[in-house]
């Protein structure tokens, strides 16, 4: 169990077809692709985690601090043996890393253990509680306390070099281990630090180990000599820590690092959620729709939330009923149609990541795919190439579409005439209705209605939505029902005095 999955097998069970266009619009969704889930228990598992993060103030700070620690320790866990000397030196860090990590997690979770509800956090607390109460941990803690200075406090070493009469090195060795880091003797560095006094920790002339003047083999020899000397100084502290104990530490640490990858995504999600909260955008965890209906109350567009203030965004409330397969959405240009279907797509993605969505209330179905064709993606193609590209994309959707899929089609076939576009669009919608699922089909062709034979055969499986305009003013609100086909043209003509105002 980790923050995103109940078991490792969950990751193998996911069968979601993510639309590349939606992912490419937002790098967050691209990174989140591996975590999109179609499993109800997994989604509820995540919802409780994000709910705890929203409710418990200290939890967010704990998770960010845990991430920093795991990031710091990650090179040690990924380390692969290069030399016996290097392996021994790395072994010094395992006990102190393990003790410090266990102490940190236990202390932070102990204070909130009675109010957390997320199973992933409860499991993490049980894990650390079991460790801290074990005999192995207690023995390690005694070892840690005894050797803490050697294990963790070395931040620099003093190296001495004996010279002959010609200032050539005769021998070199480590003189002391220091808790302080040495300070650069560079004049600019000293000016920045406002530090002009010199003591035993000021460097008067730097010696660079990995220097452009040294080739790889020479650098390796220098490093090996230094590591060998460090081994002699430090290894006396390891005799209390047997190989069996070191193996125990590595295995115990590995359990905490199982949280590492999913924690990184959780923190990215938290940043996105905080962005909504900071603008007072409402957040809710959608309930799961059992009948394929889709309902959202005051849904805010994901993209607009990141660039505008709350008062500058028009939220939408809409219910896509279970008995309706396809909603045909019409309205004026720049009237909010594209924003609306983008907001639906983002909400569905957030939901299937287990995150809250920017809305007051929602009931969403679990989809096995979200398909989207956008007029913006086709704009740069020539008319013939664009039309063919749209046909290819729609054909692919029909092959993959199921009764659990969601299709969002934005202004398909605008590159051809209405005479050619209408029967093709009507046939596509009819095929989707035969399969089931849910579709919102945005078009400026008001004639795409029951007058088309293929649409007429769908009956009540087709319904209509529209956006409104009052003169040159857009409401950006999506309403049920058909739009008046001539209302937008007349309002624009009246604005410019081309027809009389009644």
């Amino acid at each position: 169990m980790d923050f995103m999955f109940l078991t490792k097998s969950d990751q193998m069970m996911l069968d979601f077809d993510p639309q590349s266009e939606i992912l490419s619009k937002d790098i967050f969704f691209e990174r989140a692709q591996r975590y999109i889930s179609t499993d109800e228990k997994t989604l509820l598992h995540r919802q409780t985690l994000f709910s705890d993060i929203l409710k418990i103030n200290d939890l967010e700070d704990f998770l960010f601090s845990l991430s920093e620690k795991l990031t710091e320790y990650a090179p040690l866990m990924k380390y692969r043996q290069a030399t016996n000397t290097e392996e021994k030196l790395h072994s010094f860090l395992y006990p102190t890393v393990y003790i410090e990590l266990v102490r940190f997690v236990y202390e932070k979770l102990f204070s909130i253990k009675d109010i957390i509800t997320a199973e992933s956090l409860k499991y993490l607390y049980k894990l650390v509680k079991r460790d801290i109460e074990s005999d192995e941990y207690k023995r390690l803690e005694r070892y840690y306390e005894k050797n803490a200075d050697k294990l963790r406090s070395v931040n620099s070493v003093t190296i001495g070099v004996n010279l002959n009469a010609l200032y050539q090195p005769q021998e070199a060795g480590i003189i002391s281990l220091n808790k302080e880091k040495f300070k650069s003797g560079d004049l600019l560095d000293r000016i920045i630090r406002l530090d002009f006094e010199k003591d035993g920790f000021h460097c008067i002339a730097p010696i660079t180990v990995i220097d452009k003047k040294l080739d790889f083999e020479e650098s390796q020899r220098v490093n090996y000599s230094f590591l060998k000397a460090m081994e002699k100084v430090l290894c006396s502290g390891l005799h209390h820590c047997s190989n069996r104990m070191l193996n125990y530490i590595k295995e115990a640490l590995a359990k905490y690092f199982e949280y590492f990858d999913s924690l990184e995504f959780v923190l990215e999600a938290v940043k996105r959620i905080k962005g909504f909260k900071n603008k007072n955008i409402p957040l809710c965890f959608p309930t799961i729709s059992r009948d394929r209906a889709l309902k959202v109350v005051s849904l805010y567009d994901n993209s607009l939330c990141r660039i505008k203030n709350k008062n500058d965004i028009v939220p939408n409330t809409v219910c896509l009923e279970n008995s309706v397969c396809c909603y045909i959405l019409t309205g004026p240009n720049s009237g909010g149609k594209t924003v609306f279907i983008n907001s639906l797509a983002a909400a569905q993605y957030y939901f299937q990541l287990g995150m809250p969505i920017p809305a007051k209330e929602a009931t969403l179905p679990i989809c096995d795919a979200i398909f989207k064709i956008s007029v913006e993606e086709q704009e740069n193609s020539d008319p013939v190439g664009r039309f063919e590209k749209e046909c290819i994309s729609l054909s692919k959707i029909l092959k993959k579409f199921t009764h659990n899929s969601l299709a969002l089609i934005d202004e398909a076939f605008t590159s051809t005439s209405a005479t050619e576009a209408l029967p093709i669009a009507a046939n596509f919608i009819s095929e989707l209705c035969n399969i089931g699922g849910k579709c919102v089909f945005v078009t400026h062709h008001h004639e795409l209605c029951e007058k088309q034979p293929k649409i007429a055969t769908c009956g009540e499986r087709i319904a209509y939505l529209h956006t409104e305009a009052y003169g040159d003013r857009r409401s950006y609100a999506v309403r049920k029902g058909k739009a008046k086909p001539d209302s937008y043209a007349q309002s624009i003509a009246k604005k410019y005095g081309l027809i009389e105002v009644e």
Side-chain angles (χ1 to χ4, degrees):
M1 179 185 294
D2 64 15
F3 291 121
M4 297 302 287
F5 294 103
L6 291 164
T7 65
K8 290 183 179 180
S9 63
D10 286 349
Q11 300 178 51
M12 306 302 294
M13 293 164 53
L14 300 185
D15 184 22
F16 184 85
D17 189 351
Q19 180 72 16
S20 59
E21 181 191 324
I22 301 174
L23 299 176
S24 65
K25 294 279 185 182
D26 189 335
I27 193 170
F28 172 80
F29 291 133
E30 187 174 355
R31 293 172 178 167
Q33 183 176 349
R34 62 179 290 199
Y35 295 111
I36 297 171
S37 178
T38 58
D39 181 69
E40 179 177 336
K41 289 182 178 179
T42 299
L43 296 183
L44 295 175
H45 168 79
R46 297 171 182 179
Q47 284 186 351
T48 55
L49 171 66
F50 287 115
S51 178
D52 277 358
I53 294 172
L54 287 170
K55 293 176 182 177
I56 305 172
N57 294 330
D58 294 340
L59 187 51
E60 181 185 326
D61 292 337
F62 162 67
L63 293 176
F64 274 98
S65 297
L66 177 60
S67 175
E68 290 176 359
K69 287 187 176 294
L70 293 178
T71 300
E72 179 185 357
Y73 302 152
L76 182 67
M77 298 303 296
K78 295 177 181 177
Y79 170 76
R80 294 182 180 179
Q81 182 172 337
T83 67
N84 288 334
T85 299
E86 209 165 342
E87 171 68 10
K88 288 180 180 178
L89 287 175
H90 276 82
S91 296
F92 279 103
L93 295 175
Y94 285 111
T96 186
V97 164
Y98 176 61
I99 295 294
E100 290 178 0
L101 182 62
V102 168
R103 281 180 177 177
F104 168 76
V105 174
Y106 182 78
E107 289 171 4
K108 295 297 183 180
L109 287 184
F110 181 80
S111 62
I112 58 174
K113 63 181 176 63
D114 294 328
I115 56 176
I116 56 178
T117 61
E119 290 300 321
S120 54
L121 292 170
K122 290 181 179 180
Y123 182 83
L124 181 58
Y125 177 71
K126 289 178 182 177
L127 174 65
V128 72
K129 186 172 183 291
R130 184 179 64 211
D131 277 3
I132 210 163
E133 292 176 351
S134 69
D135 293 337
E136 290 87 350
Y137 177 87
K138 291 173 181 176
R139 283 197 295 271
L140 272 172
E141 197 167 36
R142 289 193 294 270
Y143 164 77
Y144 171 83
E145 297 295 345
K146 183 177 181 180
N147 294 281
D149 287 341
K150 283 187 177 181
L151 291 171
R152 197 60 170 168
S153 301
V154 179
N155 288 304
S156 68
V157 298
T158 301
I159 296 176
V161 181
N162 287 328
L163 308 176
N164 62 18
L166 299 178
Y167 296 128
Q168 295 172 329
Q170 281 186 316
E171 57 183 351
I174 295 174
I175 295 177
S176 66
L177 306 179
N178 311 311
K179 293 183 179 181
E180 298 179 55
K181 290 183 180 294
F182 81 84
K183 301 171 185 176
S184 169
D186 182 83
L187 179 59
L188 179 60
D189 285 350
R190 291 166 59 198
I191 291 173
I192 292 172
R193 293 196 311 263
L194 298 178
D195 179 10
F196 299 101
E197 295 184 7
K198 290 189 177 182
D199 56 28
F201 285 93
H202 276 80
C203 175
I204 59 175
I207 301 174
T208 305
V209 175
I210 307 297
D211 191 87
K212 292 180 180 178
K213 297 178 182 179
L214 297 178
D215 60 28
F216 178 76
E217 291 185 0
E218 290 172 331
S219 298
Q220 288 294 92
R221 284 197 293 271
V222 173
N223 283 336
Y224 177 78
S225 298
F226 173 74
L227 292 172
K228 195 68 177 176
M230 286 290 289
E231 179 191 350
K232 290 181 180 178
V233 176
L234 295 176
C235 279
S236 60
L238 259 186
H239 67 277
H240 293 294
C241 195
S242 64
N243 287 332
R244 183 186 65 80
M245 188 61 72
L246 284 174
N247 289 332
Y248 164 79
I249 295 171
K250 292 177 184 178
E251 291 175 4
L253 277 173
K255 294 176 183 177
Y256 293 94
F257 273 85
E258 288 180 2
Y259 282 79
F260 187 47
D261 289 338
S262 63
L263 175 59
E264 292 299 293
F265 172 73
V266 166
L267 295 180
E268 281 196 51
V270 168
K271 291 176 184 177
R272 178 61 60 91
I273 294 168
K274 284 184 68 177
F276 294 138
K277 284 188 64 180
N278 291 340
K279 293 188 176 183
N280 295 316
I281 304 294
L283 292 168
C284 74
F285 290 98
T287 56
I288 297 173
S289 174
R290 303 298 177 185
D291 59 3
R292 312 305 302 162
L294 186 154
K295 179 181 179 181
V296 287
V297 177
S298 294
L299 173 65
Y300 287 76
D301 178 66
N302 167 66
S303 298
L304 294 181
C305 285
R306 301 202 307 279
I307 60 176
K308 292 188 175 185
N309 295 321
K310 178 184 177 183
N311 294 337
D312 297 326
I313 306 170
V314 176
N316 266 295
T317 296
V318 68
C319 178
L320 306 184
E321 298 172 1
N322 65 314
S323 59
V324 177
C325 293
C326 183
Y327 283 85
I328 298 174
L329 172 59
T330 56
N333 291 336
S334 303
K337 302 186 298 297
T338 298
V339 168
F340 172 67
I341 63 172
N342 285 343
S343 65
L344 283 182
Q348 192 69 38
Y349 268 72
Y350 285 134
F351 167 57
Q352 294 196 222
L353 289 167
M355 295 170 58
I357 72 169
K360 289 184 178 179
E361 183 182 331
T363 300
L364 300 177
I366 297 176
C367 296
D368 57 12
I370 302 175
F371 300 104
K372 185 169 180 289
I373 292 180
S374 172
V375 67
E376 296 173 0
E377 294 293 306
Q378 318 296 337
E379 283 178 342
N380 296 326
S381 303
D382 63 88
V384 176
R386 174 176 165 183
F387 177 74
E388 183 176 5
K389 188 175 180 181
E390 287 175 327
C391 289
I392 292 171
S393 298
L394 291 175
S395 176
K396 289 180 178 178
I397 290 176
L398 287 178
K399 290 177 181 177
K400 294 184 177 181
F401 201 75
T402 76
H403 70 284
N404 289 323
S405 300
L406 174 64
L408 303 167
I409 313 300
D410 187 15
E411 296 284 12
F413 309 126
T414 55
S415 60
T416 189
S417 66
T419 304
E420 294 176 320
L422 288 173
I424 300 173
N427 187 68
F428 172 78
I429 291 172
S430 175
E431 291 293 330
L432 287 187
C433 287
N434 290 334
I435 297 170
K438 196 71 65 181
C439 174
V440 178
F441 195 99
V442 175
T443 181
H444 66 281
H445 294 303
H446 297 276
E447 302 89 344
L448 188 60
C449 59
E450 66 274 2
K451 293 179 182 178
Q452 296 295 320
K454 285 288 188 178
I455 298 291
T457 60
C458 295
E460 294 182 353
R461 290 176 293 173
I462 300 286
Y464 300 89
L465 300 169
H466 70 279
T467 56
E468 299 172 323
Y470 305 97
D472 62 337
R473 183 171 62 86
R474 307 291 191 257
S475 70
Y476 305 110
V478 175
R479 308 295 187 196
K480 282 190 174 183
K482 296 179 184 178
K484 295 179 180 179
D486 60 349
S487 59
Y488 311 122
Q490 287 189 5
S491 65
I492 293 172
K494 287 178 182 178
K495 175 185 175 183
Y496 293 100
L498 298 178
I499 62 174
E500 293 182 3
V501 180
E502 296 179 359

